[in-house]
Amino acid sequence: MGNHSLLNEFILLGIPQSEGLETVLLVIFSSIYLFTLLGNLLIFTAIISSSTLHTPMYFFLGLLSVFDMLFPSVTCPKILFYLSGLSRAISYKGCAAQLFFYHLLGSMEGCLYSVMAYDRYVAICHPLRYMVIMKPAVCVSLVTVALLVGCLQATTLTSFTFQLTYCGPNQVDHFFCDIPAVLPLACTDSSLAQRVGSINVGLLALTLLFSVCVSYTHIGIAILRIRSAEGRQKAISTCSAHLTAILCAYGPVIIIYLQRTPNPLLGAVVQILNNIVSPMLNSLIYSLRNKEVKRSLKIVFQIAIFCVQE
């Protein structure tokens, strides 16, 4: 360590090549964040308030709405804070907490996408046994497994990252604390933490994506066997919103991993899409493409208008 002292805080350098655009980005990000919170809160309220939506599919959709409010809240408030001209500093513990909750919520949401794909598989391939297979105890168990996977993933990654010594410099070349941005600042050998991070994140993402592909392969085969055009259309419409949400979640990640040479600006754009834009799109996707949710939202709006008038 010599004369170096342990770091008490990090400085977030922010989004690459965004100098002079702070005001514009502040307006855009604050609008997206507000719309994300409001849209997902409305969907969650609609699901809670409508007894017709108290089914496994909408139970998982309600949880997804909660995650889509929490996940951008890990990074977005700090982004808005420094875009408004305030301090870019984040405490050591704050950085560790940000990294932990980013991977906790990200891993849980990835698991939830897989669970939702399995739910659609059971609904389409085994419709007569759907309520027996997807009974409340099973739904709660699947969510509990997602929680355990997220906790294990986040604890492992945070522990390996912050067991290292950080004695300077303290400038994080990113807009939030993530493993690839924090590890280069370590004063000790970070190769093990880098390998653990890459393997854990890559393996979990591939496993979850593979499970989604397996579910939708079976769904696709089942849809092709449906003789009536109306039955096919109903099955496709049931899955279309979920498939669109999965593409929005995994698409940017696939693009970034297909790069031959890392591009900091593209990496930041992909992270923004994942952290801020994708949660907003989910609320749009499920509210515009789902008739039951739209019907429940209309009822919620009517009640809200009535309460205001009263």
Side-chain angles (χ1 to χ4, degrees):
M1 290 288 293
N3 292 326
H4 294 287
S5 60
L6 294 175
L7 295 179
N8 293 318
E9 65 177 19
F10 294 96
I11 305 297
L12 300 173
L13 296 184
I15 302 167
Q17 302 177 29
S18 62
E19 293 79 9
L21 300 174
E22 287 82 3
T23 303
V24 176
L25 292 176
L26 177 64
V27 173
I28 293 173
F29 289 165
S30 57
S31 301
I32 292 174
Y33 184 51
L34 183 62
F35 187 88
T36 300
L37 295 179
L38 182 60
N40 284 291
L41 181 61
L42 284 172
I43 291 177
F44 183 74
T45 305
I47 292 171
I48 291 292
S49 61
S50 176
S51 59
T52 59
L53 300 184
H54 293 174
T55 63
M57 174 182 172
Y58 293 104
F59 168 69
F60 297 131
L61 179 56
L63 284 177
L64 182 64
S65 296
V66 173
F67 287 146
D68 282 337
M69 287 187 283
L70 295 176
F71 188 59
S73 298
V74 174
T75 56
C76 202
K78 187 61 183 177
I79 297 172
L80 299 178
F81 194 72
Y82 72 69
L83 284 176
S84 61
L86 300 174
S87 174
R88 292 173 178 261
I90 183 170
S91 68
Y92 182 89
K93 291 182 179 179
C95 187
Q98 193 177 60
L99 190 148
F100 176 84
F101 284 107
Y102 175 77
H103 287 281
L104 171 68
L105 295 169
S107 299
M108 288 183 66
E109 187 160 341
C111 291
L112 188 59
Y113 280 128
S114 296
V115 169
M116 292 173 76
Y118 175 72
D119 173 73
R120 293 300 83 211
Y121 157 74
V122 176
I124 292 172
C125 298
H126 305 284
L128 299 179
R129 300 173 55 205
Y130 176 68
M131 294 308 296
V132 176
I133 296 174
M134 299 302 294
K135 55 188 178 182
V138 173
C139 294
V140 172
S141 298
L142 290 171
V143 173
T144 303
V145 170
L147 175 62
L148 292 175
V149 170
C151 286
L152 180 62
Q153 177 82 331
T155 302
T156 301
L157 296 177
T158 306
S159 298
F160 272 90
T161 302
F162 286 94
Q163 72 176 353
L164 303 174
T165 302
Y166 293 91
C167 53
N170 68 339
Q171 293 184 331
V172 178
D173 192 14
H174 207 26
F175 59 90
F176 73 102
C177 289
D178 197 13
I179 297 170
V182 173
L183 285 182
L185 305 179
C187 299
T188 50
D189 182 25
S190 62
S191 57
L192 177 60
Q194 288 175 343
R195 286 197 298 271
V196 170
S198 299
I199 292 171
N200 277 32
V201 173
L203 185 61
L204 181 62
L206 287 174
T207 302
L208 295 176
L209 186 58
F210 176 74
S211 68
V212 169
C213 291
V214 169
S215 295
Y216 273 101
T217 299
H218 284 91
I219 289 171
I221 294 170
I223 290 174
L224 292 175
R225 290 175 178 170
I226 298 174
R227 294 181 180 181
S228 67
E230 184 181 350
R232 285 187 183 181
Q233 184 60 37
K234 185 178 179 181
I236 292 171
S237 64
T238 303
C239 302
S240 59
H242 182 235
L243 265 176
T244 307
I246 289 173
L247 289 174
C248 290
Y250 283 101
V253 178
I254 292 171
I255 291 172
I256 200 69
Y257 275 102
L258 288 177
Q259 290 183 98
R260 290 187 176 181
T261 55
N263 186 321
L265 179 59
L266 181 59
V269 170
V270 168
Q271 291 281 17
I272 290 168
L273 288 174
N274 269 342
N275 296 6
I276 302 172
V277 179
S278 183
M280 178 196 70
L281 291 177
N282 281 348
S283 61
L284 282 173
I285 291 165
Y286 284 105
S287 60
L288 295 178
R289 297 185 65 89
N290 192 296
K291 293 180 181 178
E292 288 79 6
V293 172
K294 282 196 288 187
R295 192 180 302 116
S296 297
L297 283 173
K298 286 180 182 178
I299 295 172
V300 170
F301 280 123
Q302 289 171 356
I303 293 172
I305 292 170
F306 177 77
C307 292
V308 170
Q309 290 176 345
E310 288 293 321

